[in-house]
Every structure is written in structure tokens, then in C-alpha cells.
Amino acid sequence: DAKTTQPTSMDCAEGRAANLPCNHSTISGNEYVYWYRQIHSQGPQYIIHGLKNNETNEMASLIITEDRKSSTLILPHATLRDTAVYYCIVVYTVTGANNLFFGTGTRLTVIP
Amino acid sequence: ETGVTQSPTHLIKTRGQQVTLRCSSQSGHNTVSWYQQALGQGPQFIFQYYREEENGRGNFPPRFSGLQFPNYSSELNVNALELDDSALYLCASSLARVAGDDEQFFGPGTRLTVL
């Protein structure tokens, strides 16, 4: 199963773009990259996912490199409410189940 | 709000007891997954149920078991509780589309404390 590597923590100024990197060098061709975030002991919140192409939704953009070995989550205009632990996850399947393997994530702190 | 609810919010048990945690999935979601999150760690996959049958299991012993019902509700049962079972237990529901292309929506969790 593919694993991910993320920085332990990052800071971002309020109103600026937050760029969260993730390495997943052992990803397989049919494995998706997902991003979730968790705000202080609440349930994780789905942000975005992608396979090969870059993706954008109302929350964020996901940029996946051409070799798929790394990706970047972009929050275009960070607010204080974006302070959370962000998990980059490669989804692997075990007997048909889509398992989310959460690592330790990146703790993003948005600074006023 | 994800539309996924869990009960109870908090629970205190003693070692050796049994516990049942409950989850109500989003309407129409046919898949539910359960995760255990110890303090300071990321969630760990316990198992997944698809159309009322176990569809995959993480590295958890058989004393962790589950049920999924036709009305989009599900249960996580843990027998012979141990101190290390103290954690936040999360359920997540999804629609089980193409393998891998299936976002999961999490409930708020149940905080279990084993004394």
C-alpha cells in the first residue's frame, strides 16, 4: 500500500494562499490521491480527490505532478477557520473496500 | 454537516466490558467504514461494510465486530475492552462507486474511555 509524506506543520497568513505538499512516490497507477482535514477532534472533512488531472472545487485545488509522485493542495485564500490538520491519503483497496490510510498529516495554522 | 450521525457522543467503560457504538449514514449510502483514532494520531481503518456484509478489514482483532442494517444505520461492537481501546471512534459513509473514486463522509465520532 502506498504511503504519503507530509511536513509536520506549516503556517500561513490569513488571506494568502496555503500550499500543502505531499509526496507519494510509491503510488500505483489506479490509486487516487485524497485530501481530508480535521479540525480539533471533529470528524475528518473531505476536501478533494484526483487521479491524474488537476482538480478544483469550491474549497480547494489539487495539483498532481505528471509522474504522480507528489501533489499539492491549494487553499486559495486561507481563513482562520482553515486551521486544521490536513491529511494527504492514497486510497488503496482491500478486497473491494476503499481504505483511507491516514498518516500524521500537516498541522496548518492560519495566522491573523 | 455531513448528514452522518453517531451516538453516543461520549462513553466511559471499564476494562473487560463490552460496548456498542452506533452510526447513521447519509441516506442512500450503501457503504460504511469505521475508524479508530487514538489521541494525537490519525484515524486507523477498522473495517468496512457494503450492503450489510463486511467488505474489508484493517489490523484489528476479532473482538472488534460490526453490523450494517438496511435502514442506513450500523454498529461497531467491541468485546473484552482493553485500556488501549480508549479512542475516538469514527464512522464514515459513502456510495461505493468505482474502486478508489469514492469520497467518504465522516460523523462527529464517539469518544470512548476505558478505565
Side-chain angles (χ1 to χ4, degrees):
Chain A
D1 44 300
K3 301 282 178 66
T4 62
T5 304
Q6 299 177 252
T8 302
S9 63
M10 293 181 62
D11 292 339
C12 177
E14 188 178 16
R16 303 296 292 269
N19 296 287
L20 289 86
C22 179
N23 287 321
H24 31 79
S25 58
T26 60
I27 192 170
S28 298
N30 59 351
E31 291 176 326
Y32 286 74
V33 178
Y34 278 72
W35 284 83
Y36 283 78
R37 71 181 182 184
Q38 190 171 25
I39 299 173
H40 191 55
S41 294
Q42 297 179 15
Q45 178 188 22
Y46 166 79
I47 301 173
I48 199 168
H49 74 286
L51 183 61
K52 296 179 182 177
N53 301 320
N54 298 336
E55 302 287 344
T56 296
N57 63 20
E58 64 279 3
M59 288 184 67
S61 295
L62 173 61
I63 309 298
I64 303 174
T65 58
E66 191 169 344
D67 63 7
R68 302 191 69 236
K69 293 185 177 181
S70 65
S71 61
T72 301
L73 177 74
I74 301 173
L75 307 178
H77 304 286
T79 71
L80 298 180
R81 287 183 292 182
D82 292 324
T83 292
V85 177
Y86 286 77
Y87 295 99
C88 168
I89 301 164
V90 172
V91 173
Y92 67 102
T93 60
V94 174
T95 62
N98 294 321
N99 302 322
L100 301 180
F101 180 84
F102 288 82
T104 53
T106 295
R107 181 171 297 279
L108 174 70
T109 302
V110 180
I111 302 169
Chain B
E1 288 291 331
T2 62
V4 180
T5 60
Q6 293 186 243
S7 63
T9 306
H10 295 84
L11 198 54
I12 298 175
K13 290 286 189 179
T14 56
R15 193 170 48 184
Q17 285 188 311
Q18 179 268 342
V19 68
T20 297
L21 310 181
R22 293 180 173 82
C23 172
S24 179
S25 299
Q26 276 195 23
S27 179
H29 280 188
N30 53 18
T31 301
V32 64
S33 303
W34 286 90
Y35 295 82
Q36 179 195 66
Q37 185 172 23
L39 206 58
Q41 305 292 320
Q44 300 294 311
F45 174 73
I46 303 175
F47 46 56
Q48 182 180 86
Y49 278 77
Y50 171 68
R51 293 185 174 176
E52 303 165 46
E53 291 196 5
E54 188 176 297
N55 190 40
R57 190 176 188 93
N59 189 26
F60 281 82
R63 60 189 185 84
F64 285 79
S65 63
L67 287 170
Q68 184 187 27
F69 304 101
N71 65 351
Y72 308 116
S73 67
S74 58
E75 292 179 355
L76 165 65
N77 298 289
V78 187
N79 294 322
L81 283 168
E82 301 176 359
L83 298 180
D84 286 347
D85 295 334
S86 294
L88 180 69
Y89 288 85
L90 297 156
C91 75
S93 75
S94 60
L95 201 50
R97 298 193 302 259
V98 173
D101 185 15
D102 179 34
E103 58 265 34
Q104 297 184 16
F105 297 92
F106 284 80
T110 293
R111 173 75 61 188
L112 173 65
T113 301
V114 182
L115 302 176

